[in-house]
């Protein structure tokens, strides 16, 4: 059941990140999920480094760091995706 929860978290964070980034992102849903999940992992790691991973109540700082990680990864992932897809179309 943990893998299903990871997919849901990746989807939600990825979609929120796509909504925050200006313009329309040209990445597929599966990549959105993977990048959102990567953002969650990046945010968890950063929260651990900053010492705010486990707090009393809701971990707002950790959740914001996860979202920030997802925004960064979706923005970078879109650039890479467009670069790879653009080069494939030119050579094919």
């Amino acid at each position: 059941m943990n893998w299903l929860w990871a997919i849901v978290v990746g989807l939600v964070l990825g979609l929120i990140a796509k909504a925050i980034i200006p313009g329309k992102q040209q990445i597929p849903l599966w990549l959105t999920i993977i990048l959102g999940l990567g953002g969650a992992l990046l945010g968890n790691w950063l929260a651990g480094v900053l010492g705010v991973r486990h707090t009393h109540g809701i971990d707002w700082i950790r959740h914001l760091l996860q979202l920030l990680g997802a925004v960064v990864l979706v923005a970078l992932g879109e650039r890479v995706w467009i670069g790879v897809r653009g080069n494939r179309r030119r050579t094919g």
Side-chain angles (χ1 to χ4, degrees):
M1 206 54 166
N2 287 337
W3 59 270
L4 182 60
W5 185 245
I7 291 172
V8 170
V9 168
L11 175 64
V12 169
L13 282 174
L15 290 176
I16 293 172
K18 284 177 79 170
I20 290 173
I21 299 170
K24 183 175 181 348
Q25 290 72 43
Q26 302 296 324
I27 59 175
L29 186 60
W30 63 267
L31 188 55
T32 302
I33 293 170
I34 291 171
L35 295 172
L37 183 57
L41 294 173
L42 181 63
N44 279 341
W45 173 79
L46 189 55
V49 168
L50 296 175
V52 294
R53 185 166 182 186
H54 301 289
T55 59
H56 299 291
I58 298 174
D59 296 333
W60 291 110
I61 296 171
R62 180 174 56 101
H63 295 313
L64 288 173
L65 290 171
Q66 290 173 337
L67 181 57
L68 179 65
V71 167
V72 168
L73 290 183
V74 167
L76 292 175
E78 181 198 16
R79 294 273 189 183
V80 171
W81 179 258
I82 289 172
V84 169
R85 297 296 289 181
N87 288 339
R88 186 178 302 164
R89 288 184 183 152
R90 281 187 222 131
T91 59

